[in-house]
């Protein structure tokens, strides 16, 4: 038995993961398409930092009631260049759920003037570096017109 396990290298898994990461980085660097990762093994939480883009990471599975308004105010204040939105298929069922789903849809659509709150500035998803991740393709975006590169399926 070898100390160095090369099974993932030999069966092509390593090549596929490197290819997915390169596609994620290439897509996130641009502002034309959103990197839509459908694979939990591909990390997105540090892609902004790795690529030197001032970004905010949001884990939607950890949100609770009132977090949408707090994040909207935060985004209005700090004007990030990029967003990494994680677990878009695991949004908790609370009063903010519809707001989060709309937020994700408009980010994937790359809406140029999405109004986060009734007050404050609009967010221009069309000029942002965007990465979104999920385990399974969410029902609420099926059949929608979106501008994204699907990675990891």
């Amino acid at each position: 038995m070898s100390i160095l396990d090369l099974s993932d290298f030999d069966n092509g898994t390593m090549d596929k993961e490197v290819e997915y990461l390169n596609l994620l980085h290439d897509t996130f660097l641009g502002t034309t398409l959103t990197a839509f990762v459908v694979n939990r093994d591909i990390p997105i939480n540090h892609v902004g930092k790795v690529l030197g883009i001032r970004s905010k990471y949001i884990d939607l599975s950890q949100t609770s009631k009132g977090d949408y308004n707090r994040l909207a105010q935060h985004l209005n204040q700090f004007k990030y260049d990029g967003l990494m939105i994680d677990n878009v298929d695991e949004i908790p069922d609370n009063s903010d759920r519809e707001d989060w789903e709309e937020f994700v849809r408009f980010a994937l659509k790359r809406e140029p003037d999405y109004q986060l709150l009734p007050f404050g500035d609009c967010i221009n998803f069309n000029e942002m570096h965007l990465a979104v991740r999920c385990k399974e393709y969410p029902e609420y975006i099926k059949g929608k017109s979106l501008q994204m590169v699907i990675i990891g399926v």
Side-chain angles (χ1 to χ4, degrees):
M1 178 171 199
S2 172
I3 294 174
L4 182 60
D5 181 10
L6 296 176
S7 60
D8 282 344
F9 182 77
D10 290 336
N11 69 16
T13 302
M14 186 70 72
D15 289 340
K16 196 173 286 190
E17 288 179 13
V18 169
E19 182 181 323
Y20 289 158
L21 280 174
N22 285 337
L23 184 54
L24 169 62
H25 288 180
D26 290 346
T27 307
F28 191 77
L29 277 171
T31 57
T32 304
L33 298 170
T34 300
F36 187 82
V37 179
V38 185
N39 186 324
R40 290 277 189 245
D41 296 330
I42 302 170
I44 67 164
N45 51 335
H46 297 295
V47 71
K49 188 174 187 177
V50 168
L51 298 174
I53 297 170
R54 198 171 139 275
S55 303
K56 178 71 176 169
Y57 172 78
I58 307 161
D59 184 349
L60 295 185
S61 69
Q62 301 300 312
T63 59
S64 57
K65 181 181 175 183
D67 283 348
Y68 177 81
N69 287 338
R70 283 188 284 278
L71 178 78
Q73 291 170 353
H74 179 82
L75 292 177
N76 267 331
Q77 182 179 0
F78 288 96
K79 310 285 187 216
Y80 292 98
D81 297 319
L83 281 176
M84 298 152 303
I85 310 167
D86 208 352
N87 297 310
V88 298
D89 57 335
E90 295 180 8
I91 302 170
D93 194 14
N94 60 40
S95 60
D96 288 350
R97 182 181 182 99
E98 287 181 15
D99 291 328
W100 285 121
E101 288 177 354
E102 182 177 271
F103 180 80
V104 171
R105 273 194 315 273
F106 281 89
L108 291 171
K109 191 177 176 181
R110 302 196 66 82
E111 185 68 30
D113 54 357
Y114 177 67
Q115 186 73 40
L116 285 166
L117 296 170
F119 54 88
D121 298 331
C122 290
I123 188 170
N124 186 349
F125 287 122
N126 198 37
E127 293 179 353
M128 295 187 83
H129 304 271
L130 297 169
V132 174
R133 185 173 75 161
C134 61
K135 183 178 181 180
E136 295 180 18
Y137 199 87
E139 191 66 37
Y140 66 92
I141 61 171
K142 287 184 179 175
K144 304 292 184 200
S145 176
L146 308 171
Q147 296 179 4
M148 61 187 188
V149 173
I150 300 175
I151 303 169
V153 177

